[in-house]
Amino acid sequence: MFDLLNRLLVWSNAQTIRHLGWIDRITRQSPRLVIVSFLALVFLSVSSLLTIHFETDIFRLFPADRPAMRLLLDSLEWSGGANQAYFLLEGDPAVLPAEASRLAERLRTLQVDGAPAFKRVVYRIYEESEAKRFADLVAFSAAHPAAFVPLNDIPALLERFKPKAVDQALDQLTAELAGSIGASGVGLSLADPLGLRSLILPRLKAGSQALDMDPASPYFLSRDGRVLIMIAEPVKPVQEMAFARKLVAGINQARSGLPVKISCAGAHISAVIDEAAMKYNILSCILSSLVVVLGIFYAVYRRIWPTLMIPVVLAVGVLLALGTAGLFLSSIHIISFAFMALIIGLGTDYSIHLYDRFHTERVAGATTDQAVSLAVVDTGQGLFTAATTTALPFLALGWAEVRALSELGLLVGLGVIFSLYATLFLMPLLLRKTDTPDRLYRALPGLGLVRLWRLAGQWSRPLLWGAGGLTMLFFLLSLHTSFDGELKNLQPQHSEAFHAQELVEQHLNLAPKSLLVAVDGASQAAAMQQNLAVEALAARLAAEGRLQAWSSLGQIMNRRADQQQIVARLQGTGFRTDELAKKLYDKGFSVASFESYLNKLRANSLTSVLDESVIIAQLEASPLRGVVDRHLVHDRSGWHSLTYLYFKAGQLDQTGFVQELHKNVPSARVTGTDLVSQELLAAVRRSAVTGVSLGSLLVLALLLTHFKSLNGIVASLGPVLFGAVAMLGTMALVGMKLNFMNIMVLVTIVGMGSDYGLHIQHRCAEGLTEQQEQNFIQAARSVLLSALTTVAGFGSLAFTDYGAMSSIGWATNYGIGFTVLAALLLVPATLRLVTTPRR
């Protein structure tokens, strides 16, 4: 078995050398064929790239088939929240309503491509134009108080029908009609002469609010009066980016010149703003990192043509990667496009190693062809294994259930492979074309690596023991690493949408945390009936102090059992409709003006038990139809009765609640930020563990084919272990958390980190002591520069405003920094300890 494995390893190495020899031969003998072939591949890749759609929706990065995430997306679709625009006005409470009116008028008249931009714009509980509908609702509720009056207000309701209370109500009615209450006020008074609306409207108003608003204000005004919210519904969905961009431009013009601060949020605004922010961050990072990378390369090697070839190699690698990805993907999230920054670092690595070896051989007296061949065939073996060990862990993520990881893994893996081949084919063409036999090559700077080699030899045991101690220390620190499951922290931290979200949390949220429970049914009655158990559970939790608030249709209207209880009490009041008519006449009112109300009472409306569908239909026809829309939804799949729960952190055990809910209502679905985060964390953890495990196995297999001894494998993987543990420990030390994006850096460390030890081990494992030292200087210089270019490329994302990319950048900086430090110190220390120097 061992002999078979050894023969397989020998055959694999031979095939790699043969493949690299073919590349060296074809670039030397057929340069035009190479150029034409690459141009054809680039053309095909660009054609494929043009078919790819780039997305910005953060939710599309994660699996939508998980229960909590699915319900969250469904709720956004049901409520229209996925397409609505929100405007938050901050300022003096005395001027907010007037300024809101001005903004609303501008938005209503705003046009995009000659058509109105918004279907509706609202900032009041109900608009004056809907006064008639509101009066109809008041008339209905006044005639059927059992449908709306809360059970704990039954005593107050019964008091209203006593003779003395009736007289007081009619006296109040006289005062209202005599005052300046306007046409809408007159309509409400005539619809409800007994003033029962004071017992009903607070309940309806409270149920219509998803936010903590001032109950005394007719506007969507925060309880502290500092923030007024306006909701507008665009005529087109967010997916039409051309419309969204024009809409945002129109919004910016509409809110200019107003004396209050106006923040915008919503899918249209976020899509445009986030798209602009992400493009700016990604492009600025790519350009700045490219400049830094080229500067590092030129500062060390002082050759202009190889420096200028690097952007060509990178461009070819990125285009081929995107073009190939286009064969498998119809769309790519713009965050995944940040892979270009990583390719800048990795792609430059191969150019550095190849050119460094070429330069070193030319200094030693080799001809151009000899130097190029040694660089391609000998150094190419290390590059081939390094690129494969980097690419395969990333490609393993291509099967991840989390789109954010699968796309990034596929693009980086393909980018690494194509960048390697672009380097192996194009850089030799350039070197053979631009180099001349009489060109003088000076020795490259040692960068202090000679002292590092000697230090590792003199202090090899203390270095290794010290590294072991540090690994244990970082491991203990890493146990305190926490996970940030807040999706909002992945967004641009200084964007307007992020600021608006913080305003809502500070001024308008009913509680810091919330849950949504959905009960599905084939009919409206079935969904409402099943939701009774959810309402009972919510009522009990609220009574026990485990909820701040909750809302459902059952909280704003009475079910049949409750109506029957109220009706039974009303039947004992002895109230007579004819007596009310006589009192109206005696007090000088035109009885005919109240005939509609009186006729309902004569039809026994006070003692009628209504079907719930009748009450719901009346609410839907009123300005408070949002109450129904928010709590009851009908779509192609059926009816959905929704209940909202609000609570503080630590107030409600969400896991226990979900278990109890499913015990009482097995078919109920539940979602919330924490539950979605838990689902995504589980999916990301599975993807990351699978990627790291599979990637590690593939790396180990490749290292077995490259090295014939265990020492080589340990030298390659030792820095990886130290770098990964040190990265996690440092993150815990500085208070940085893992999140759904930066967790993939662990895969990066496994792939890239093994390269550093591999290159040093490959060049220094054999030879005389003096030759080992020179080989170490050459290999370590390439490794050090490669790490610097990787940090300049991918690590530059740390300074972006986009939380997702910034966290990846910082994690990469920590991981790569510790890994290269371990490779430069521990690999030579291990070599000096386990090998016997030959002189």
Side-chain angles (χ1 to χ4, degrees):
M1 182 67 181
F2 180 79
D3 182 60
L4 177 63
L5 178 62
N6 187 56
R7 280 188 290 173
L8 181 63
L9 298 180
V10 171
W11 177 84
S12 176
N13 277 326
Q15 293 303 311
T16 301
I17 294 172
R18 182 179 179 183
H19 178 59
L20 293 170
W22 173 79
I23 293 175
D24 177 51
R25 186 169 57 256
I26 197 170
T27 55
R28 182 176 62 252
Q29 297 176 355
S30 306
R32 292 183 179 178
L33 176 62
V34 172
I35 294 174
V36 170
S37 299
F38 268 89
L39 288 175
L41 289 174
V42 168
F43 175 78
L44 292 174
S45 297
V46 171
S47 301
S48 175
L49 179 60
L50 294 176
T51 66
I52 298 177
H53 167 66
F54 289 94
E55 299 182 69
T56 59
D57 188 354
I58 190 73
F59 288 111
R60 293 186 178 273
L61 284 174
F62 304 105
D65 58 345
R66 300 297 181 271
M69 175 60 86
R70 182 67 266 160
L71 179 55
L72 174 62
L73 297 177
D74 285 345
S75 67
L76 291 174
E77 185 69 26
W78 294 337
S79 66
N83 289 318
Q84 289 178 342
Y86 302 90
F87 302 88
L88 285 85
L89 287 72
E90 302 174 76
D92 185 354
V95 303
L96 282 180
E99 297 305 323
S101 177
R102 293 176 60 190
L103 176 63
E105 184 60 29
R106 293 183 183 183
L107 295 177
R108 287 169 181 147
T109 57
L110 177 63
Q111 293 194 337
V112 172
D113 295 330
F118 293 102
K119 296 178 183 177
R120 64 187 184 99
V121 179
V122 295
Y123 63 98
R124 298 169 60 97
I125 300 301
Y126 76 93
E127 299 294 326
E128 291 296 329
S129 60
E130 296 187 302
K132 175 62 170 61
R133 291 185 178 183
F134 188 69
D136 291 342
L137 174 64
V138 170
F140 177 83
S141 60
H144 301 89
F148 296 106
V149 173
L151 292 181
N152 56 3
D153 282 340
I154 290 178
L157 175 63
L158 298 178
E159 185 69 26
R160 297 294 178 94
F161 291 98
K162 292 181 178 180
K164 183 179 179 180
V166 171
D167 288 334
Q168 291 175 345
L170 295 182
D171 291 340
Q172 177 65 30
L173 179 60
T174 301
E176 289 176 356
L177 294 177
S180 302
I181 60 174
S184 60
V186 171
L188 294 179
S189 298
L190 295 178
D192 178 27
L194 297 181
L196 299 183
R197 61 186 179 277
S198 62
L199 298 176
I200 299 170
L201 292 183
R203 184 184 189 186
L204 293 177
K205 186 175 181 181
S208 68
Q209 295 177 356
L211 302 170
D212 187 21
M213 298 182 187
D214 182 1
S217 173
Y219 304 100
F220 298 148
L221 188 67
S222 65
R223 195 174 291 271
D224 60 10
R226 302 299 305 176
V227 176
L228 187 149
I229 186 169
M230 181 180 296
I231 304 172
E233 184 180 355
V235 296
K236 292 184 180 180
V238 65
Q239 288 79 6
E240 298 192 25
M241 287 301 298
F243 169 80
R245 294 188 186 98
K246 294 177 182 178
L247 179 66
V248 170
I251 288 172
N252 289 333
Q253 184 177 0
R255 61 179 169 165
S256 63
L258 295 178
V260 294
K261 183 177 180 180
I262 303 173
S263 302
C264 301
H268 288 77
I269 288 85
S270 296
V272 174
I273 295 176
D274 287 1
E275 179 190 49
M278 283 187 280
K279 285 182 177 179
Y280 173 79
N281 278 289
I282 292 174
L283 291 176
S284 61
C285 284
I286 289 173
L287 293 176
S288 61
S289 59
L290 183 60
V291 170
V292 173
V293 164
L294 296 180
I296 292 173
F297 188 93
Y298 184 77
V300 174
Y301 299 110
R302 300 288 178 173
R303 288 291 185 266
I304 187 64
W305 283 112
T307 303
L308 295 178
M309 175 56 73
I310 289 177
V312 177
V313 169
L314 297 177
V316 170
V318 168
L319 286 174
L320 293 182
L322 285 172
T324 305
L327 300 177
F328 307 99
L329 305 173
S330 60
S331 64
I332 296 176
H333 199 280
I334 197 166
I335 287 181
S336 302
F337 197 69
F339 89 100
M340 282 186 61
L342 181 55
I343 298 304
I344 287 177
L346 288 174
T348 307
D349 291 356
Y350 308 134
S351 297
I352 288 174
H353 284 285
L354 194 73
Y355 183 79
D356 196 289
R357 180 65 185 274
F358 169 81
H359 193 113
T360 301
E361 296 300 333
R362 288 288 280 132
V363 170
T367 64
T368 299
D369 276 343
Q370 290 172 337
V372 170
S373 295
L374 283 171
V376 172
V377 179
D378 187 39
T379 300
Q381 293 180 57
L383 293 181
F384 191 85
T385 304
T388 310
T389 57
T390 299
L392 288 183
F394 280 105
L395 290 175
L397 285 177
W399 284 269
E401 53 190 309
V402 180
R403 178 181 177 182
L405 298 180
S406 64
E407 280 188 2
L408 199 62
L410 178 64
L411 290 172
V412 172
L414 292 174
V416 166
I417 293 173
F418 288 123
S419 295
L420 170 69
Y421 276 98
T423 301
L424 292 175
F425 276 98
L426 300 181
M427 189 63 78
L429 292 182
L430 176 76
L431 295 177
R432 286 192 171 100
K433 183 69 175 177
T434 59
D435 194 33
T436 57
D438 58 345
R439 174 165 291 176
L440 179 63
Y441 283 84
R442 295 185 175 85
L444 295 169
L447 304 178
L449 297 171
V450 174
R451 290 192 293 272
L452 202 63
W453 170 261
R454 293 172 182 173
L455 175 69
Q458 295 171 0
W459 300 90
S460 55
R461 291 183 185 276
L463 279 173
L464 294 173
W465 279 105
L470 282 174
T471 302
M472 286 301 301
L473 176 62
F474 281 125
F475 175 74
L476 293 175
L477 288 172
S478 69
L479 297 178
H480 299 283
T481 305
S482 56
F483 192 88
D484 182 6
E486 289 286 344
L487 291 177
K488 70 170 188 175
N489 292 335
L490 301 180
Q491 300 173 351
Q493 302 297 292
H494 295 92
S495 72
E496 191 169 5
F498 187 86
H499 173 67
Q501 189 172 354
E502 287 191 322
L503 277 179
V504 171
E505 292 177 356
Q506 294 169 9
H507 297 275
L508 290 162
N509 271 0
L510 288 170
K513 294 184 176 293
S514 64
L515 289 175
L516 167 63
V517 180
V519 176
D520 308 318
S523 65
Q524 182 187 100
M528 293 290 292
Q529 181 63 32
Q530 290 190 68
N531 202 54
L532 277 172
V534 179
E535 294 173 358
L537 177 58
R540 178 168 62 80
L541 293 175
E544 294 172 355
R546 290 195 278 167
L547 292 179
Q548 287 288 101
W550 67 281
S551 70
S552 72
L553 272 183
Q555 263 207 313
I556 53 182
M557 56 175 268
N558 291 328
R559 300 300 186 95
R560 293 187 65 88
D562 294 340
Q563 291 183 62
Q564 289 168 353
Q565 186 177 344
I566 296 175
V567 164
R569 299 290 298 276
L570 284 173
Q571 288 172 341
T573 62
F575 176 80
R576 296 173 59 86
T577 305
D578 292 340
E579 291 181 0
L580 174 59
K582 185 176 183 304
K583 286 181 180 290
L584 287 168
Y585 179 81
D586 292 342
K587 290 186 177 289
F589 292 101
S590 171
V591 178
S593 300
F594 300 93
E595 200 62 37
S596 176
Y597 179 66
L598 294 173
N599 286 337
K600 291 176 183 176
L601 296 187
R602 293 188 183 104
N604 299 318
S605 65
L606 290 179
T607 56
S608 298
V609 176
L610 298 177
D611 190 81
E612 292 167 5
S613 62
V614 175
I615 304 174
I616 292 171
Q618 190 66 40
L619 288 170
E620 286 183 316
S622 76
L624 299 184
R625 56 187 172 274
V627 178
V628 179
D629 293 341
R630 186 164 177 264
H631 294 99
L632 186 65
V633 178
H634 184 215
D635 61 13
R636 293 180 179 178
S637 63
W639 290 86
H640 315 278
S641 183
L642 309 180
T643 302
Y644 298 85
L645 312 177
Y646 304 96
F647 52 94
K648 295 179 181 178
Q651 188 177 13
L652 178 68
D653 176 13
Q654 297 185 55
T655 302
F657 168 77
V658 172
Q659 292 174 351
E660 188 173 3
L661 174 67
H662 287 155
K663 182 179 179 181
N664 295 334
V665 191
S667 61
R669 297 187 290 158
V670 60
T671 190
T673 303
D674 292 340
L675 297 182
V676 170
S677 296
Q678 290 172 13
E679 286 183 349
L680 296 183
L681 173 58
V684 169
R685 183 186 289 118
R686 287 192 297 269
S687 298
V689 169
T690 302
V692 171
S693 301
L694 182 57
S696 299
L697 290 175
L698 293 172
V699 167
L700 182 60
L702 288 166
L703 292 176
L704 282 171
T705 65
H706 188 86
F707 294 111
K708 296 184 176 67
S709 68
L710 183 63
N711 292 337
I713 297 174
V714 171
S716 293
L717 296 182
V720 173
L721 175 64
F722 181 83
V725 174
M727 179 192 77
L728 294 174
T730 303
M731 289 173 65
L733 191 63
V734 301
M736 181 179 171
K737 298 180 180 181
L738 286 171
N739 58 43
F740 299 117
M741 297 301 297
N742 63 24
I743 197 170
M744 57 76 62
V745 175
L746 290 172
V747 182
T748 306
I749 301 303
V750 170
M752 293 193 301
S754 61
D755 297 357
Y756 300 147
L758 182 151
H759 286 298
I760 296 175
Q761 178 75 14
H762 176 79
R763 293 283 288 140
C764 305
E766 299 177 355
L768 301 176
T769 302
E770 294 80 4
Q771 187 61 40
Q772 279 186 328
E773 180 177 295
Q774 292 303 314
N775 290 345
F776 171 78
I777 294 171
Q778 190 269 316
R781 179 175 54 235
S782 300
V783 166
L784 179 60
L785 294 177
S786 296
L788 290 176
T789 57
T790 299
V791 170
F794 214 47
S796 64
L797 294 174
F799 303 101
T800 68
D801 184 52
Y802 206 89
M805 293 186 285
S806 178
S807 66
I808 292 175
W810 280 114
T812 301
N813 287 341
Y814 295 145
I816 294 300
F818 283 114
T819 302
V820 73
L821 182 64
L824 293 176
L825 282 172
L826 303 185
V827 175
T830 304
L831 281 170
R832 300 295 292 275
L833 192 64
V834 300
T835 59
T836 302
R838 290 183 293 153
R839 295 181 180 276

